[in-house]
Amino acid sequence: MSKKLLLLMIIFIVCYIYTKNKVFNENTLLIGSSLPLTGSISSWGTSVSNGVNAYFEYANDNNLIKNKRLKFLVYDDKYEPELTLENTKKLIFEDDVFTLFGYVGTPTVKRILPILYDENIPLFSVFSGASFLRNNKNQDFINFRSSYTQEIEDMINYLDIGKKLNKVAVFYQNDEYGEEGYISLINLLKTKNLALVAEGSYRRNTLSINHAFTEIKDAKPEVIFIIGTYKTNSLFIKKVKENLKDVIFCTISFGDANSMVKELEDLGSNSENLIFSQIVPSYTDVSIPAVKEYQELMHNYFPNEAFGFLSLEAFLSSKVLVNAISRIKGEITREKLIDMLKETPNDLLGGIPLEYKNSQLLNKVFLFEYKNNQFIEIKHEK
C-alpha cells in the first residue's frame, strides 16, 4: 500500500470518527430542516413547522432537555430538489446542526443522499414513505412514519374485501415520489391477480392534468389511486367527477388530506368517494392521550392554526426526538442520538404504539373518509 493511499485512509477514518462522535456542548441544539414554505405544497411546510415548534417550545419552557434549548432551523426549498441540496449543505457545513429532521418529500430527500452518506449525519422523520429510506443501507436514517407500500396495501385490502376491487387506474406525480407509489401499487395488485387498466402522470410542481385524464378516462376505471400533491390531486379529482360517475379515489398521506378537502371545496367540488390513508390517528380523537396533548399545546403556542394530520405527525415525531435527546447519558453526540431513537419506548406516545422495525417507528395505517365536515375513520378487517 502506498504512503499516499495510507494517508488518505487515515484522514477518512479520522473525519468519520470526528463526525460521528462530535460533542455538542452548546446551550442551544440546532435541529435543521429544508421545507416547502412557499410553492405548490406550502401548506406542508407550514403544518410541519407548526407541529414541530409547538412541541419544541413546550420542551424549552419546561426544560425537558436539561440545560439545553432546541431551535428548529428551517430553509425554504419550494419542493425543488436542487434547493433542498443547497439548504442541506448550508445546514451541515455552515450551521453545524445536530441532526436533520422533518424533511418533506421523496425527490427532495433522494437528491441529498450522497451528502448524507458522506457526512454521516442523522436524518430523522422524513415525510416520505419511500423504500430507499427503509432498506437499512444507512443506519443514520430513522423513519417515524409507515411506508407508502403499507398505505397502498391497506387500501387495496379494504377495497378487495369491502368494495370488490376490480378496474384500477393510477394518477401519479412523474418523479421519485410518484414512481415509488406506482411500483408499489403494481406489485400489490399482482398479489390479487390484477393489473392496471390505465395510468396517467403529471410533472412535479405543475397542474398539468389534462393529458393524464385523457389517458385514463376511456378505460372507465372503478378505482383510481392518486399519488400526487394536494392542488393537482384536487384538480384531477374534480375533472374526473365531471366526466365519470361513481369512481372511488384512493389517496395516500402525502396528498395532504386537510388541504385536499379545502381545495376541492374552493374548486366547487366535493370529497365524496374519497378514501384517505394516514399514518397517524384522527387529530380530533382526544381519547388518545398524545392527541389530547397535541391539541392542548397547539392551542397554547399556535392558537390561530387549525389542527390537522400533518401537524399532528410533526408534533408526535418531535416528542420522540426530544425524548431521545433527553435520554442521552453524558456528552451529547449524534451517534448516541441514533441509538436513543432506535430504543424509543413503545408506550411513549400514549395510545399510539411504537416499535422500531424496518427502519421506522410507526407501523400502522388508518383509513378515513370525509363526511359532515369531519374525517371519520373507516374500520375494516386487516
Side-chain angles (χ1 to χ4, degrees):
M1 182 183 296
S2 68
K3 290 183 179 180
K4 185 177 181 180
L5 180 58
L6 179 60
L7 179 61
L8 288 173
M9 289 180 63
I10 292 172
I11 291 172
F12 174 80
I13 292 170
V14 169
C15 289
Y16 175 82
I17 293 173
Y18 174 78
T19 303
K20 292 287 283 186
N21 297 309
K22 179 182 177 182
V23 176
F24 287 79
N25 290 318
E26 298 82 1
N27 291 331
T28 299
L29 286 176
L30 295 179
I31 311 298
S33 191
S34 180
L35 298 176
L37 300 176
T38 60
S40 65
I41 61 168
S42 58
S43 71
W44 256 99
T46 300
S47 296
V48 172
S49 181
N50 290 343
V52 171
N53 281 311
Y55 198 80
F56 278 12
E57 289 301 313
Y58 170 75
N60 289 337
D61 289 346
N62 292 274
N63 197 27
L64 295 189
I65 302 175
K66 191 174 181 181
N67 301 322
K68 295 281 186 184
R69 294 185 63 80
L70 296 174
K71 181 179 178 181
F72 192 42
L73 181 59
V74 177
Y75 297 119
D76 182 17
D77 62 23
K78 306 179 192 297
Y79 193 42
E80 289 291 350
E82 291 306 316
L83 287 177
T84 308
L85 180 61
E86 291 178 20
N87 293 344
T88 302
K89 288 179 178 178
K90 188 173 182 181
L91 289 166
I92 294 174
F93 299 118
E94 296 181 28
D95 301 312
D96 194 25
V97 296
F98 176 49
T99 185
L100 300 175
F101 171 61
Y103 276 53
V104 170
T106 301
T108 47
V109 172
K110 194 163 190 176
R111 183 66 184 89
I112 65 172
L113 287 182
I115 195 171
L116 296 179
Y117 287 135
D118 288 344
E119 298 305 320
N120 302 110
I121 187 168
L123 177 67
F124 176 53
S125 188
V126 172
F127 286 80
S128 167
S131 59
F132 66 78
L133 291 169
R134 293 162 172 79
N135 59 18
N136 294 317
K137 287 183 179 179
N138 193 321
Q139 292 298 311
D140 294 341
F141 300 167
I142 310 293
N143 297 285
F144 181 66
R145 57 174 22 233
S146 302
S147 69
Y148 291 147
T149 297
Q150 287 172 287
E151 291 191 59
I152 293 170
E153 182 177 27
D154 202 56
M155 287 190 289
I156 286 176
N157 288 338
Y158 166 66
L159 290 168
D160 190 38
I161 295 171
K163 302 287 186 179
K164 300 305 177 186
L165 182 69
N166 196 356
K167 297 174 66 177
V168 180
V170 63
F171 171 72
Y172 66 100
Q173 185 167 285
N174 190 11
D175 65 1
E176 291 87 346
Y177 158 53
E179 289 167 4
E180 280 275 343
Y182 173 80
I183 292 169
S184 292
L185 176 60
I186 288 176
N187 290 336
L188 289 165
L189 286 175
K190 285 180 182 177
T191 66
K192 306 289 186 182
N193 294 317
L194 292 171
L196 293 172
V197 297
E199 60 184 72
S201 65
Y202 74 96
R203 188 162 57 89
R204 183 181 62 247
N205 281 337
T206 73
L207 299 174
S208 303
I209 64 156
N210 289 330
H211 178 72
F213 174 71
T214 300
E215 293 292 309
I216 291 173
K217 68 181 178 70
D218 290 340
K220 293 183 171 54
E222 298 169 344
V223 177
I224 303 178
F225 279 79
I226 304 220
I227 306 162
T229 54
Y230 67 90
K231 285 183 180 292
T232 314
N233 290 355
S234 300
L235 196 62
F236 177 78
I237 290 169
K238 179 178 184 291
K239 182 87 170 178
V240 173
K241 282 178 174 285
E242 290 172 346
N243 292 272
L244 299 174
K245 302 299 182 184
D246 301 321
V247 176
I248 297 173
F249 301 91
C250 296
T251 71
I252 60 177
S253 58
F254 197 83
D256 185 356
N258 296 95
S259 293
M260 278 186 62
V261 167
K262 183 178 183 303
E263 194 74 18
L264 283 167
E265 290 175 353
D266 291 345
L267 290 170
S269 190
N270 60 65
S271 301
E272 292 178 4
N273 289 337
L274 265 71
I275 298 171
F276 302 89
S277 77
Q278 300 294 331
I279 53 80
V280 292
S282 173
Y283 53 86
T284 64
D285 189 356
V286 292
S287 68
I288 300 173
V291 175
K292 183 179 180 181
E293 182 184 33
Y294 156 77
Q295 288 200 7
E296 290 172 349
L297 295 188
M298 283 291 290
H299 179 75
N300 290 343
Y301 293 101
F302 294 94
N304 297 321
E305 298 295 332
F307 302 142
F309 289 108
L310 299 183
S311 59
L312 172 60
E313 181 180 347
F315 177 90
L316 296 174
S317 61
S318 298
K319 181 168 183 172
V320 170
L321 178 61
V322 169
N323 176 266
I325 298 172
S326 72
R327 287 185 287 110
I328 293 176
K329 303 296 184 184
E331 297 176 326
I332 293 180
T333 67
R334 291 165 172 164
E335 190 172 40
K336 289 181 181 178
L337 172 64
I338 292 168
D339 291 340
M340 291 300 100
L341 285 170
K342 292 178 180 179
E343 296 170 9
T344 298
N346 292 356
D347 60 353
L348 175 65
L349 304 179
I352 304 174
L354 300 172
E355 181 183 3
Y356 183 71
K357 62 181 181 180
N358 302 321
S359 299
Q360 63 190 36
L361 289 165
L362 287 177
N363 296 280
K364 188 175 179 180
V365 174
F366 303 84
L367 301 185
F368 292 89
E369 55 188 347
Y370 191 77
K371 290 185 176 179
N372 301 319
N373 297 317
Q374 61 181 323
F375 286 97
I376 299 172
E377 186 178 351
I378 300 171
K379 303 290 186 179
H380 67 105
E381 298 178 26
K382 297 289 185 178

